[in-house]
Amino acid sequence: MEVFKIMGTDDTPAVTLDAANNIFEISGRSLPEDVNAFYKPIISWIDKYNMAPNAKTIFNFKLVYFNTASSKMLLDVLMKLEDLFKAGKDITVRWQYPDDDEDMKEAGEEYADIVDVPFEQIAIS
Amino acid sequence: MGTNEKRDVRGFLEFVYEFYKSMKEHEITLVYEGEITHQITKAFTSLTESNMAKEEESNMVQKKVFHVMVECLQNISKHADDYGANDYLFSGRGIFMVSKGKDEYSVTTGNAIEHTRMPELKRMLEQVNSLDKDELTELYKKQIKEGRLSDKGGAGLGFIDIKRKTGRNLEYHFLPINDNSSFFLLTSTISRNA
């Protein structure tokens, strides 16, 4: 499967989706001008990946900031990972947040409540 | 003729000076009037960020101010378009201000809205202001789930987020412009001692 990789900017996160090397990560800041246009290809990629996933998938979120418009799209991404879990696959969401950022920690807890998928929270300094 | 021009220039200079003094008095660090675009949002947030960093504001306060600015600016950029009137004064524009006091930052936005939109806006703001922290979390979760289904679906998510991040009620006023529209002012306050 083709590697999906984009560099992060001031207002868009860095994204790596690489099935061959088992790397799945969204990191940085998310406040794109057009959230739908930004997240649509990511969601389509996961859709395709879900048809033939790796034996074990760890999906990393390392966000330092996202706006409310992005929060809905992130939920869409998580729902795709939930699909994988519901299909009986080994999938873990790893939510990494800055250790001094209570809000980002809470955001992870809230997503963990909404979606049915194994969720790990890790504070990073 | 020449005398008149001189008087006008003088009047303008006095206005600028009064305006400057008034900004100082209200501790306004940023004021903008015009169209709010994504580029403007980026410029203002990075400007405010670098100012706060220079003044060694805590990380938490910086993040909260950033959050509030983005949501407020996006509210205007998304909704100012809805204002259909061909009124050169108000169509598609707004005012945006940041002020910094001893104990808090304030972010104020103002834009014209049609009266037909007022009841819904008031209802959302009253609801957000009436809820406590846990209730807001529940409402937030409900709204992102539902908002997912439609592109519009903002449904007050920005307001919810602002109150959750600041822990303060949103202050708002509607000043009548004419029979069909009002000027909507919204102020969010972020404590510097967070």
Side-chain angles (χ1 to χ4, degrees):
Chain A
M1 211 178 150
E2 85 281 18
V3 176
F4 183 102
K5 193 171 175 72
I6 43 176
M7 296 295 169
T9 68
D10 275 358
D11 56 354
T12 54
V15 181
T16 304
L17 303 169
D18 181 348
N21 293 303
N22 222 359
I23 301 170
F24 311 91
E25 184 170 289
I26 301 180
S27 63
R29 274 185 175 188
S30 180
L31 60 149
E33 180 164 19
D34 183 344
V35 282
N36 287 305
F38 184 83
Y39 280 97
K40 211 176 154 207
I42 297 171
I43 289 159
S44 315
W45 192 95
I46 301 172
D47 259 336
K48 258 192 250 165
Y49 173 78
N50 283 0
M51 288 189 267
N54 294 346
K56 184 173 170 58
T57 308
I58 295 175
F59 203 106
N60 289 288
F61 289 86
K62 284 171 86 169
L63 293 160
V64 291
Y65 169 80
F66 59 87
N67 63 351
T68 56
S70 298
S71 68
K72 288 181 259 176
M73 304 312 294
L74 292 170
L75 181 59
D76 278 342
V77 171
L78 286 162
M79 301 281 257
K80 291 292 167 197
L81 302 175
E82 181 182 44
D83 289 346
L84 203 54
F85 181 65
K86 283 186 170 161
K89 306 295 179 192
D90 188 346
I91 157 84
T92 300
V93 169
R94 192 172 280 165
W95 186 266
Q96 305 184 51
Y97 59 92
D99 61 358
D100 64 345
D101 193 339
E102 198 62 29
D103 290 335
M104 200 48 90
K105 182 183 178 207
E106 272 175 30
E109 286 164 3
E110 285 156 21
Y111 280 128
D113 273 355
I114 299 174
V115 290
D116 185 17
V117 65
F119 221 95
E120 278 176 13
Q121 291 248 47
I122 298 173
I124 46 174
S125 52
Chain B
M1 176 79 195
T3 336
N4 261 344
E5 261 176 28
K6 250 183 212 161
R7 202 170 298 146
D8 286 351
V9 168
R10 176 149 193 159
F12 180 70
L13 293 177
E14 274 163 10
F15 161 74
V16 172
Y17 183 51
E18 288 307 317
F19 185 67
Y20 174 78
K21 282 198 292 191
S22 178
M23 274 183 69
K24 288 281 164 198
E25 209 174 292
H26 291 97
E27 303 177 284
I28 294 162
T29 55
L30 177 65
V31 61
Y32 172 82
E33 185 281 328
E35 199 186 347
I36 310 274
T37 62
H38 187 67
Q39 294 310 320
I40 293 281
T41 300
K42 275 169 66 173
F44 288 174
T45 46
S46 71
L47 179 68
T48 306
E49 263 193 324
S50 63
N51 284 342
M52 288 190 295
K54 234 186 281 166
E55 288 154 17
E56 295 179 344
E57 205 68 70
S58 81
N59 265 347
M60 216 55 234
V61 171
Q62 289 193 34
K63 280 197 171 175
K64 285 180 196 288
V65 172
F66 188 87
H67 262 279
V68 170
M69 283 181 72
V70 171
E71 296 303 327
C72 286
L73 287 163
Q74 291 191 334
N75 262 343
I76 303 188
S77 70
K78 238 186 287 170
H79 298 296
D81 293 348
D82 301 350
Y83 189 77
N86 289 320
D87 188 327
Y88 76 98
L89 258 182
F90 297 113
S91 189
R93 309 173 73 90
I95 188 163
F96 179 79
M97 282 174 33
V98 178
S99 62
K100 179 193 166 189
K102 193 164 100 26
D103 300 315
E104 57 200 29
Y105 281 92
S106 294
V107 176
T108 298
T109 57
N111 59 292
I113 65 151
E114 283 175 349
H115 286 157
T116 48
R117 289 189 50 231
M118 249 169 74
E120 177 62 8
L121 198 53
K122 271 189 182 160
R123 187 196 63 76
M124 288 192 299
L125 286 158
E126 274 165 21
Q127 183 188 28
V128 166
N129 280 350
S130 72
L131 301 179
D132 67 20
K133 194 169 185 290
D134 293 342
E135 291 167 331
L136 281 167
T137 302
E138 285 317 304
L139 182 63
Y140 177 81
K141 286 198 263 187
K142 181 170 165 273
Q143 299 284 28
I144 52 169
K145 271 191 271 183
E146 286 170 6
R148 235 173 29 80
L149 306 173
S150 72
D151 281 352
K152 267 237 150 186
L157 207 51
F159 296 149
I160 300 171
D161 190 55
I162 291 170
K163 168 134 184 209
R164 293 182 73 205
K165 294 282 165 16
T166 63
R168 305 264 197 112
N169 276 357
L170 286 88
E171 248 179 79
Y172 59 94
H173 298 279
F174 295 94
L175 307 176
I177 296 171
N178 55 35
D179 288 348
N180 310 316
S181 52
S182 286
F183 198 66
F184 168 52
L185 282 152
L186 178 73
T187 299
S188 315
T189 307
I190 304 103
S191 169
R192 292 182 63 193
N193 311 309

